[in-house]
Amino acid sequence: LEEYFALGRRLRDAGIDEPSEELDRANTATVVRLREGSPVISDGPFIESKEQLGGFYIVKAETVDEAIAWAVQIPGIRNGAIEIRPIIEHNIA
């Protein structure tokens, strides 16, 4: 965990960090689906996936290359993959 905390400090020091959190295990999930206009709620990880999201960082990078430079510093990359995705910002007045 100290490696993750250190990365968080580096992101803060660079002035580009946003919220980040560790997610609980997949077996703690609650899945919500909408069926015929009504919510259907299931306990457990019923979304099919070989890999699971374990946490997230929001990094306001100027370029994809900058985002990649931060992604390779995430300790979990040694045992898995890091997905980089843009954020769609909505200006709702």
Side-chain angles (χ1 to χ4, degrees):
L1 287 176
E2 182 51 42
E3 290 180 86
Y4 287 97
F5 298 150
L7 174 58
R9 288 189 295 271
R10 291 194 302 274
L11 286 164
R12 260 191 319 281
D13 291 347
I16 60 171
D17 77 313
E18 293 291 326
S20 61
E21 295 293 337
E22 178 183 7
L23 300 176
D24 207 337
R25 296 174 315 279
N27 65 357
T28 67
T30 299
V31 178
V32 180
R33 293 179 174 88
L34 201 57
R35 298 290 184 256
E36 298 178 13
S38 296
V40 176
I41 301 165
S42 305
D43 291 332
F46 294 105
I47 296 174
E48 294 294 324
S49 178
K50 291 182 180 181
E51 297 177 330
Q52 298 176 12
L53 180 64
F56 65 90
Y57 289 93
I58 296 176
V59 177
K60 291 200 174 186
E62 296 294 323
T63 65
V64 173
D65 289 338
E66 183 183 355
I68 291 168
W70 285 108
V72 299
Q73 296 181 56
I74 299 172
I77 201 167
R78 293 189 295 262
N79 300 315
I82 305 300
E83 182 177 89
I84 298 172
R85 297 173 62 180
I87 294 173
I88 299 173
E89 296 187 24
H90 298 278
N91 295 320
I92 300 174

